[in-house]
Amino acid sequence: MDLDLHPGEVHALMGMNGTGKSTKKDVKIVAANGTDEGLAAVKDGRLSATVANSAMSIGQTAIKNAVGLLAKKKVDKIANIPLLLVTKDNLSKAPRYCPE
């Protein structure tokens, strides 16, 4: 099952019988972007993991590609940005989403 969650929206997960309970004990909630709030939620157990990327890496890649296009150079149509699945086990290796 895929579920997209967006800031400001309220969502609920329900079991197949609709009672609001799940018979599965291994349901894991994973977020995206690896923000400071997401990393804190992994640390305290509210999230099982977050997929971390770096806004700085995204911006640097966008600028590099824009400069290349302006210079009439060939740039990749798809930019691969490094991602890391961050769990409690590798929390210290998470890239800063917006470094100061």
Side-chain angles (χ1 to χ4, degrees), residues 33-36 39 53-56 58 95-99:
N33 289 341
T35 60
D36 291 342
L39 295 174
N53 60 37
S54 165
M56 186 168 69
I58 294 168
R96 290 292 314 266
Y97 183 71
C98 290

PDB file of all heavy atoms in Angstrom, residues 33-36 39 53-56 58 95-99:
ATOM      1  N   ASN A  33      12.154  13.058   3.462  1.00  0.00           N
ATOM      2  CA  ASN A  33      12.892  14.315   3.497  1.00  0.00           C
ATOM      3  C   ASN A  33      13.894  14.426   4.635  1.00  0.00           C
ATOM      4  O   ASN A  33      14.791  15.230   4.559  1.00  0.00           O
ATOM      5  CB  ASN A  33      12.004  15.558   3.482  1.00  0.00           C
ATOM      6  CG  ASN A  33      11.348  15.751   2.145  1.00  0.00           C
ATOM      7  OD1 ASN A  33      11.796  15.193   1.151  1.00  0.00           O
ATOM      8  ND2 ASN A  33      10.290  16.512   2.106  1.00  0.00           N
ATOM      9  N   GLY A  34      13.761  13.686   5.713  1.00  0.00           N
ATOM     10  CA  GLY A  34      14.781  13.726   6.752  1.00  0.00           C
ATOM     11  C   GLY A  34      14.945  15.073   7.414  1.00  0.00           C
ATOM     12  O   GLY A  34      16.050  15.471   7.760  1.00  0.00           O
ATOM     13  N   THR A  35      13.833  15.806   7.590  1.00  0.00           N
ATOM     14  CA  THR A  35      13.909  17.097   8.269  1.00  0.00           C
ATOM     15  C   THR A  35      14.275  16.887   9.734  1.00  0.00           C
ATOM     16  O   THR A  35      14.224  15.766  10.246  1.00  0.00           O
ATOM     17  CB  THR A  35      12.553  17.825   8.194  1.00  0.00           C
ATOM     18  OG1 THR A  35      11.566  17.002   8.838  1.00  0.00           O
ATOM     19  CG2 THR A  35      12.150  18.107   6.755  1.00  0.00           C
ATOM     20  N   ASP A  36      14.615  17.971  10.421  1.00  0.00           N
ATOM     21  CA  ASP A  36      14.952  17.859  11.845  1.00  0.00           C
ATOM     22  C   ASP A  36      13.806  17.226  12.628  1.00  0.00           C
ATOM     23  O   ASP A  36      14.032  16.392  13.504  1.00  0.00           O
ATOM     24  CB  ASP A  36      15.286  19.228  12.431  1.00  0.00           C
ATOM     25  CG  ASP A  36      16.600  19.790  11.902  1.00  0.00           C
ATOM     26  OD1 ASP A  36      17.419  19.003  11.363  1.00  0.00           O
ATOM     27  OD2 ASP A  36      16.812  21.008  12.021  1.00  0.00           O
ATOM     28  N   LEU A  39      13.746  13.454  11.877  1.00  0.00           N
ATOM     29  CA  LEU A  39      14.834  12.760  12.568  1.00  0.00           C
ATOM     30  C   LEU A  39      14.526  12.629  14.057  1.00  0.00           C
ATOM     31  O   LEU A  39      14.800  11.580  14.666  1.00  0.00           O
ATOM     32  CB  LEU A  39      16.154  13.496  12.351  1.00  0.00           C
ATOM     33  CG  LEU A  39      16.656  13.526  10.903  1.00  0.00           C
ATOM     34  CD1 LEU A  39      17.892  14.410  10.785  1.00  0.00           C
ATOM     35  CD2 LEU A  39      16.943  12.128  10.386  1.00  0.00           C
ATOM     36  N   ASN A  53      17.205  13.273   2.362  1.00  0.00           N
ATOM     37  CA  ASN A  53      17.946  13.883   1.270  1.00  0.00           C
ATOM     38  C   ASN A  53      18.424  15.230   1.786  1.00  0.00           C
ATOM     39  O   ASN A  53      18.126  15.605   2.907  1.00  0.00           O
ATOM     40  CB  ASN A  53      17.097  14.020   0.008  1.00  0.00           C
ATOM     41  CG  ASN A  53      15.865  14.865   0.219  1.00  0.00           C
ATOM     42  OD1 ASN A  53      15.884  15.852   0.934  1.00  0.00           O
ATOM     43  ND2 ASN A  53      14.769  14.470  -0.395  1.00  0.00           N
ATOM     44  N   SER A  54      19.148  15.932   1.012  1.00  0.00           N
ATOM     45  CA  SER A  54      19.682  17.212   1.448  1.00  0.00           C
ATOM     46  C   SER A  54      19.189  18.299   0.512  1.00  0.00           C
ATOM     47  O   SER A  54      19.418  18.235  -0.701  1.00  0.00           O
ATOM     48  CB  SER A  54      21.209  17.159   1.446  1.00  0.00           C
ATOM     49  OG  SER A  54      21.758  18.446   1.528  1.00  0.00           O
ATOM     50  N   ALA A  55      18.528  19.303   1.080  1.00  0.00           N
ATOM     51  CA  ALA A  55      18.078  20.431   0.263  1.00  0.00           C
ATOM     52  C   ALA A  55      19.274  21.104  -0.400  1.00  0.00           C
ATOM     53  O   ALA A  55      19.183  21.586  -1.528  1.00  0.00           O
ATOM     54  CB  ALA A  55      17.308  21.423   1.130  1.00  0.00           C
ATOM     55  N   MET A  56      20.414  21.106   0.283  1.00  0.00           N
ATOM     56  CA  MET A  56      21.618  21.710  -0.286  1.00  0.00           C
ATOM     57  C   MET A  56      22.067  20.932  -1.528  1.00  0.00           C
ATOM     58  O   MET A  56      22.379  21.531  -2.555  1.00  0.00           O
ATOM     59  CB  MET A  56      22.749  21.750   0.741  1.00  0.00           C
ATOM     60  CG  MET A  56      23.971  22.496   0.239  1.00  0.00           C
ATOM     61  SD  MET A  56      25.184  22.852   1.526  1.00  0.00           S
ATOM     62  CE  MET A  56      25.789  21.231   1.904  1.00  0.00           C
ATOM     63  N   ILE A  58      20.165  19.121  -3.484  1.00  0.00           N
ATOM     64  CA  ILE A  58      19.170  19.363  -4.524  1.00  0.00           C
ATOM     65  C   ILE A  58      19.428  20.710  -5.184  1.00  0.00           C
ATOM     66  O   ILE A  58      19.434  20.836  -6.408  1.00  0.00           O
ATOM     67  CB  ILE A  58      17.743  19.296  -3.943  1.00  0.00           C
ATOM     68  CG1 ILE A  58      17.435  17.874  -3.472  1.00  0.00           C
ATOM     69  CG2 ILE A  58      16.708  19.771  -4.960  1.00  0.00           C
ATOM     70  CD1 ILE A  58      16.175  17.762  -2.636  1.00  0.00           C
ATOM     71  N   PRO A  95      22.121  13.080   6.597  1.00  0.00           N
ATOM     72  CA  PRO A  95      22.565  14.390   6.144  1.00  0.00           C
ATOM     73  C   PRO A  95      21.655  15.473   6.698  1.00  0.00           C
ATOM     74  O   PRO A  95      20.457  15.242   6.903  1.00  0.00           O
ATOM     75  CB  PRO A  95      22.453  14.303   4.617  1.00  0.00           C
ATOM     76  CG  PRO A  95      21.398  13.282   4.391  1.00  0.00           C
ATOM     77  CD  PRO A  95      21.508  12.303   5.526  1.00  0.00           C
ATOM     78  N   ARG A  96      22.200  16.630   6.978  1.00  0.00           N
ATOM     79  CA  ARG A  96      21.375  17.761   7.429  1.00  0.00           C
ATOM     80  C   ARG A  96      20.513  18.198   6.261  1.00  0.00           C
ATOM     81  O   ARG A  96      21.006  18.417   5.156  1.00  0.00           O
ATOM     82  CB  ARG A  96      22.250  18.935   7.879  1.00  0.00           C
ATOM     83  CG  ARG A  96      23.013  18.716   9.165  1.00  0.00           C
ATOM     84  CD  ARG A  96      22.129  18.625  10.414  1.00  0.00           C
ATOM     85  NE  ARG A  96      21.096  19.642  10.507  1.00  0.00           N
ATOM     86  CZ  ARG A  96      21.222  20.792  11.150  1.00  0.00           C
ATOM     87  NH1 ARG A  96      22.331  21.084  11.743  1.00  0.00           N
ATOM     88  NH2 ARG A  96      20.215  21.655  11.172  1.00  0.00           N
ATOM     89  N   TYR A  97      19.220  18.339   6.468  1.00  0.00           N
ATOM     90  CA  TYR A  97      18.308  18.719   5.406  1.00  0.00           C
ATOM     91  C   TYR A  97      18.596  20.157   4.956  1.00  0.00           C
ATOM     92  O   TYR A  97      18.717  20.440   3.783  1.00  0.00           O
ATOM     93  CB  TYR A  97      16.852  18.573   5.851  1.00  0.00           C
ATOM     94  CG  TYR A  97      15.862  18.888   4.757  1.00  0.00           C
ATOM     95  CD1 TYR A  97      15.715  18.026   3.691  1.00  0.00           C
ATOM     96  CD2 TYR A  97      15.106  20.048   4.782  1.00  0.00           C
ATOM     97  CE1 TYR A  97      14.841  18.302   2.661  1.00  0.00           C
ATOM     98  CE2 TYR A  97      14.221  20.333   3.761  1.00  0.00           C
ATOM     99  CZ  TYR A  97      14.086  19.457   2.713  1.00  0.00           C
ATOM    100  OH  TYR A  97      13.214  19.750   1.698  1.00  0.00           O
ATOM    101  N   CYS A  98      18.705  21.058   5.891  1.00  0.00           N
ATOM    102  CA  CYS A  98      19.023  22.466   5.594  1.00  0.00           C
ATOM    103  C   CYS A  98      20.162  22.904   6.503  1.00  0.00           C
ATOM    104  O   CYS A  98      19.935  23.491   7.565  1.00  0.00           O
ATOM    105  CB  CYS A  98      17.814  23.370   5.827  1.00  0.00           C
ATOM    106  SG  CYS A  98      16.498  23.140   4.630  1.00  0.00           S
ATOM    107  N   PRO A  99      21.406  22.609   6.118  1.00  0.00           N
ATOM    108  CA  PRO A  99      22.526  22.998   6.982  1.00  0.00           C
ATOM    109  C   PRO A  99      22.620  24.512   7.112  1.00  0.00           C
ATOM    110  O   PRO A  99      22.276  25.244   6.200  1.00  0.00           O
ATOM    111  CB  PRO A  99      23.755  22.433   6.275  1.00  0.00           C
ATOM    112  CG  PRO A  99      23.299  21.966   4.951  1.00  0.00           C
ATOM    113  CD  PRO A  99      21.817  21.957   4.909  1.00  0.00           C
TER     114      PRO A  99
END
